[in-house]
């Protein structure tokens, strides 16, 4: 099967131009999974895939998490559309999905249905490439560090003065300690960062915060980032094990709506 794979940027992102019918049959499964790990973000521009087709395609790539309605989770700030909309304000900040879990999700597929007139662009940062480009001295430093991740840290950026109930709800989602540099089964390493990262074990809070901010700034340099301007009908897949992402703020009443399907994690952070 012939298909094209133009790069979106030198360090992250590839567009896949292929026949939709062949994709849905799994004809490019191995190629898609390989490109996903190597390039972090895959764009299927204006492919016009339906929710059912998205689920069909996702199942050719891995095990679908049964979120939302049979695996389709609606990304919307409207609580009548998404009853967990309040948490989506945290997606304005860099993060890895499931960073407070032992095994984060493998990848997500996201299709644009309705767009906001303002904001709503999505950015992705390649944490494999960011680690690989670190100076050797900095690699030796981060290889031994362990970070405390919690949903509380990122939600406090959204709600600086939370109620006790809100804090209890965030903390109930769990706290995990992960290495800053994740050694994958492939042998490659990626950085585990984002605003869920609140402190570094064994460091004074101010020192740890300064290093986390330094590493976050390094990882989100322009050469590691792809910024997507959505068009209705676009579908993107990103490798959640090697990419951080965030959305640019948009009005809650904009009607913006995307369909997300997420694949179960396949390896623990070690």
């Amino acid at each position: 099967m012939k298909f094209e794979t133009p790069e979106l940027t030198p360090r992250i992102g590839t567009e896949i131009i292929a026949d939709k019918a062949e994709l849905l049959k799994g004809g490019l499964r191995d190629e898609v999974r390989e490109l996903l790990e190597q390039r972090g973000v895959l764009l299927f521009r204006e492919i016009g895939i339906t929710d059912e087709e998205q689920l069909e395609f996702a199942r050719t790539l891995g095990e679908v998490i049964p979120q939302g309605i049979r695996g389709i989770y609606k990304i919307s700030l409207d609580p009548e559309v998404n009853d967990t909309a309040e948490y989506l304000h945290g997606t304005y900040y860099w993060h890895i999905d499931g960073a407070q879990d032992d095994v984060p999700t493998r990848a997500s597929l996201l299709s644009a249905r309705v767009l906001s007139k303002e904001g709503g662009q999505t950015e992705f940062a390649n944490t494999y490439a960011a680690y690989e480009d670190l100076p050797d001295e900095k690699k030796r430093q981060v290889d031994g560090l362990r970070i405390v991740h919690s949903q509380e840290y990122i939600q406090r950026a959204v709600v600086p003065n939370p109620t006790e109930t809100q804090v209890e709800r965030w903390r109930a989602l769990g706290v995990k300690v992960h290495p800053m540099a994740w050694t994958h089964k492939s042998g490659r390493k990626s950085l585990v960062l984002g605003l869920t990262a609140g402190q570094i074990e064994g460091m004074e809070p101010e020192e740890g915060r300064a290093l986390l901010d330094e590493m976050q700034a390094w990882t989100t340099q322009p050469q590691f980032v792809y910024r997507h301007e959505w068009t209705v009908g676009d579908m993107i897949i990103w490798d959640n094990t090697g990419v951080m992402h965030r959305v640019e703020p948009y009005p809650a009443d904009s009607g913006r709506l995307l369909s997300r399907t997420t694949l179960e994690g396949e390896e623990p952070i070690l």
Side-chain angles (χ1 to χ4, degrees):
M1 172 184 171
K2 293 183 179 180
F3 62 100
E4 298 177 45
T5 56
E7 292 186 353
L8 298 171
T9 78
R11 302 306 304 279
I12 178 173
T14 292
E15 180 176 355
I16 293 183
I17 304 171
D19 180 72
K20 183 168 76 170
E22 287 296 322
L23 287 171
L24 297 180
K25 290 191 294 186
L28 282 178
R29 177 189 185 279
D30 293 342
E31 291 87 346
V32 168
R33 283 183 59 97
E34 176 65 21
L35 276 170
L36 187 61
E37 180 178 337
Q38 295 301 320
R39 300 290 299 158
V41 173
L42 303 180
L43 168 63
F44 300 79
R45 197 183 303 275
E46 296 185 64
I47 192 170
I49 206 164
T50 67
D51 283 355
E52 287 303 319
E53 288 172 336
Q54 181 168 304
L55 278 170
E56 183 181 352
F57 180 41
R59 291 183 183 121
T60 71
L61 302 175
E63 294 295 323
V64 172
I65 296 175
Q67 294 177 325
I69 300 174
R70 301 189 315 280
I72 295 291
Y73 177 81
K74 297 297 184 179
I75 302 294
S76 170
L77 295 180
D78 183 347
E80 293 187 5
V81 176
N82 182 338
D83 60 7
T84 59
E86 64 176 296
Y87 286 99
L88 293 182
H89 292 279
T91 63
Y92 294 159
Y93 303 93
W94 289 109
H95 65 286
I96 295 170
D97 292 335
Q100 69 274 9
D101 298 329
D102 289 322
V103 181
T105 59
R106 175 65 180 86
S108 283
L109 297 78
L110 193 62
S111 294
R113 307 297 183 217
V114 180
L115 299 178
S116 173
K117 293 180 180 179
E118 301 175 24
Q121 297 84 357
T122 307
E123 292 187 310
F124 304 89
N126 190 331
T127 60
Y128 276 120
Y131 178 85
E132 289 161 1
D133 283 11
L134 281 173
D136 289 343
E137 181 179 350
K138 186 61 72 172
K139 285 180 180 176
R140 286 191 291 271
Q141 180 185 16
V142 304
D143 279 348
L145 298 179
R146 295 180 62 79
I147 306 175
V148 179
H149 285 265
S150 171
Q151 189 68 210
E152 180 180 353
Y153 298 124
I154 196 168
Q155 291 300 327
R156 280 186 179 275
V158 180
V159 187
N161 299 300
T163 65
E164 290 185 8
T165 300
Q166 286 175 311
V167 173
E168 289 175 2
R169 191 183 307 138
W170 299 337
R171 291 178 178 174
L173 296 173
V175 175
K176 289 293 178 183
V177 179
H178 293 307
M180 184 181 287
W182 176 0
T183 303
H184 296 258
K185 291 185 292 186
S186 65
R188 296 176 69 202
K189 292 184 178 182
S190 65
L191 295 169
V192 185
L193 294 167
L195 209 61
T196 58
Q199 55 184 306
I200 299 176
E201 283 193 332
M203 282 191 181
E204 292 297 321
E206 289 187 5
E207 179 188 12
R209 185 69 262 167
L211 181 55
L212 286 171
D213 290 345
E214 175 191 347
M215 295 306 301
Q216 186 79 1
W218 170 271
T219 306
T220 56
Q221 292 179 93
Q223 68 265 33
F224 303 131
V225 173
Y226 170 64
R227 180 178 184 270
H228 187 61
E229 291 275 0
W230 290 95
T231 297
V232 171
D234 287 352
M235 181 176 71
I236 275 183
I237 309 175
W238 74 91
D239 177 0
N240 186 59
T241 70
V243 169
M244 288 191 300
H245 62 286
R246 70 176 179 181
V247 63
E248 294 190 9
Y250 56 96
D253 62 355
S254 67
R256 184 179 186 269
L257 178 67
L258 294 91
S259 294
R260 189 185 77 192
T261 302
T262 300
L263 303 181
E264 289 185 358
E266 298 174 356
E267 64 173 311
I269 299 178
L270 298 174

